[in-house]
Amino acid sequence: MSSLSRLRALRRRSRAVLRRLADPGAQERLMSAARAIPLPHRVRTGLSTAFLRQRDTVEVPLDRLLLGAQNGMPGGEFSRAVGDLLWCSTPIADGPHVALLRLAEAAGGDPADEAILGSPYGTLARRAIGSGGHFFGARDDAGVLDTARSYLLRHAGDATPQPARTFQSGPGDPVLVAPIRWSDHYQILDGHHRLASAVMRGDLTASVVVKKLPVTTPLQDHLRRMSWLDGTRELYQPISAPELAGGWPTVRACTDRLEKMRAFAGEGRGRGYLDVASCYGWFVSRMGELGFEAHGIERDPLAVPLGKAVYGLPDGAVRTGDAVDVLRDTDRTWDVVSCFSLLHHFILGRASVGPEQLVKLLDKVTGQVLFLDTGQENEAWFHESLAGWNPATIAEFLRSNTSFTRIVDLGPDVDAVPPYAGNYARHLFACVREG
């Protein structure tokens, strides 16, 4: 092989390595392997300072800083350890450190021990002790109170020297953050207490040192693992989280269908509601707010912890499993049932039964009204595969294969907008059982 050929081959291999390293999953695996190497904390910090941090400090808006590393654990690891999916999605202003300062301010600077331990800060400390054995060296409630009161004194301006605590920053250490991938926000790696004091002072920005490698949040990771997304950055139902704004388009607005359902079916008043293929659980949550006894069926088990975290769904609200199997095995009926964007998968042969069997099962469990939409031939991605499947033929299909006495076309959704222009505009049907 000539020298030129060897050089070209080396360049190809180098580009392939760089492409692999650009992948978030590869970066996380690399960082996890590096963290697993047993190094003294001082050595690890020195290596990070030398190779992984930007040299200069920058001013970052405080409202773009989200909670992160705790107790010597990276933010994602701490989130998993304490079972809090939204820990790294929480702005510093809404976090437990600021909550402690506000508690002290309301108490004239001297909150009671019980108030501190019962505060979000006390909860954080107890979680840290439960997951890692200590919180800045505190191993019990007495230690938590000592840590909290020491911080309150520093915040109030007390310059009395305090003994260094485990994982506590030194006086010359910078506030350290990492950029959050696909976002204009940052995850706090070190300096939560100092940033909380800045929030209480009314500062708008903070001087920070930024790590070179971006991180992802547990919420982002969870969403990318969900089966229907196949790793893409999309939200199928609305989720309000700072790091998702801008870089994560919402596929279905949902509010348009909710308003049509509310106008047609009225308030819940204790009536039962079931959402078949409930995805994250947005409709289960919102119909519950309207007074329905709301439940969902979803095949992806990752939807259950997500719905609990982002919508506050209670245990048992969403049952996981194949919709056909669950519907076939239940003897219960719900006053109002919805089934969005599922039927066309059965028409396309992607399920164990045909579309007729699905709508008959939906008919079986519906007491008063079934709300249904489906992919249609007007959509670019279904123009050929669903040819002839339009509002008129869908309505006739529902009349022919169910026992509902009236099929009402409530009109198209509002989702046919960039980046989804040319798709969606699916009609919502109300299948009514009168008398």
Side-chain angles (χ1 to χ4, degrees):
M1 180 184 292
S2 68
S3 297
L4 180 59
S5 298
R6 285 195 294 271
L7 179 59
R8 287 174 175 170
L10 179 60
R11 285 175 175 171
R12 285 195 298 270
R13 288 195 294 270
S14 298
R15 285 195 292 268
V17 170
L18 289 173
R19 282 195 297 271
R20 287 195 293 270
L21 288 177
D23 175 68
Q27 289 183 2
E28 178 58 30
R29 289 190 294 273
L30 180 63
M31 294 305 294
S32 296
R35 286 193 293 265
I37 299 174
L39 292 174
H41 179 69
R42 182 176 298 178
V43 174
R44 189 181 300 279
T45 301
L47 291 172
S48 174
T49 301
F51 298 108
L52 300 179
R53 301 182 186 182
Q54 303 290 350
R55 291 187 177 183
D56 299 322
T57 60
V58 296
E59 289 293 315
V60 172
L62 278 168
D63 61 7
R64 293 187 187 175
L65 297 176
L66 309 182
L67 303 180
Q70 289 290 313
N71 220 35
M73 297 182 186
E77 185 178 331
F78 181 77
S79 173
R80 290 187 291 272
V82 300
D84 185 351
L85 184 61
L86 299 185
W87 171 259
C88 296
S89 302
T90 305
I92 181 66
D94 298 331
H97 309 80
V98 171
L100 176 65
L101 297 180
R102 289 180 174 146
L103 174 68
E105 185 177 70
D110 187 23
D113 290 352
E114 295 78 8
I116 292 175
L117 294 174
S119 72
Y121 190 86
T123 299
L124 165 64
R126 285 169 164 171
R127 281 177 160 185
I129 292 170
S131 62
H134 69 91
F135 178 67
F136 290 103
R139 299 184 180 277
D140 53 26
D141 284 352
V144 170
L145 291 170
D146 181 60
T147 301
R149 294 197 180 280
S150 175
Y151 171 48
L152 293 177
L153 287 173
R154 292 198 310 275
H155 174 73
D158 188 331
T160 303
Q162 298 285 337
R165 299 175 184 272
T166 306
F167 294 125
Q168 185 178 23
S169 305
D173 291 338
V175 171
L176 186 62
V177 303
I180 296 176
R181 192 178 292 276
W182 311 300
S183 169
D184 61 358
H185 285 67
Y186 299 83
Q187 185 178 113
I188 304 167
L189 305 181
D190 188 35
H192 288 80
H193 292 87
R194 284 170 285 168
L195 291 170
S197 291
V199 170
M200 293 299 290
R201 289 195 303 267
D203 295 353
L204 298 179
T205 64
S207 181
V208 303
V209 169
V210 181
K211 292 286 285 284
K212 293 180 181 179
L213 294 180
V215 298
T216 56
T217 67
L219 177 59
Q220 290 175 330
D221 297 338
H222 192 96
L223 287 165
R224 283 168 60 84
R225 285 196 302 269
M226 294 193 73
S227 58
W228 80 273
L229 283 172
D230 195 27
T232 57
R233 285 184 293 109
E234 293 179 325
L235 302 177
Y236 197 70
Q237 294 175 338
I239 293 178
S240 178
E243 76 274 26
L244 302 182
W248 293 67
T250 301
V251 177
R252 311 301 304 272
C254 297
T255 51
D256 56 336
R257 283 170 288 167
L258 179 70
E259 287 306 311
K260 290 176 180 178
M261 292 164 62
R262 180 178 182 177
F264 195 91
E267 302 289 330
R269 300 189 182 90
R271 290 187 292 164
Y273 166 74
L274 175 68
D275 188 22
V276 179
S278 57
C279 198
Y280 307 161
W282 188 90
F283 284 99
V284 178
S285 171
R286 298 303 294 272
M287 292 294 276
E289 293 172 1
L290 293 178
F292 286 89
E293 180 197 346
H295 294 89
I297 300 171
E298 170 55 40
R299 70 174 185 175
D300 191 340
L302 291 176
V304 173
L306 180 66
K308 289 181 179 180
V310 300
Y311 304 134
L313 293 179
D315 289 340
V318 174
R319 178 176 175 181
T320 58
D322 181 83
V324 169
D325 293 338
V326 176
L327 293 175
R328 184 182 283 152
D329 293 342
T330 186
D331 294 326
R332 178 177 174 177
T333 61
W334 286 262
D335 301 286
V336 177
V337 175
S338 62
C339 182
F340 301 128
S341 298
L342 181 64
L343 179 59
H344 60 275
H345 293 288
F346 287 71
I347 295 169
L348 295 170
R350 299 171 180 171
S352 59
V353 301
E356 296 85 1
Q357 289 93 326
L358 174 64
V359 295
K360 290 181 186 298
L361 288 170
L362 293 170
D363 185 348
K364 183 192 80 162
V365 301
T366 302
Q368 297 174 0
V369 57
L370 164 68
F371 293 101
L372 180 143
D373 75 4
T374 173
Q376 304 173 171
E377 67 174 356
N378 63 280
E379 301 179 65
W381 44 36
F382 295 135
H383 184 66
E384 295 183 1
S385 58
L386 291 180
W389 191 242
N390 54 55
T393 56
I394 294 168
E396 181 55 35
F397 174 85
L398 293 171
R399 290 190 191 95
S400 301
N401 290 283
T402 68
S403 63
F404 295 107
T405 55
R406 188 160 55 104
I407 308 296
V408 182
D409 185 346
L410 299 178
D413 63 43
V414 299
D415 299 323
V417 296
Y420 308 105
N423 291 300
Y424 297 112
R426 298 173 183 175
H427 283 235
L428 178 64
F429 292 90
C431 307
V432 185
R433 193 182 313 286
E434 295 176 318

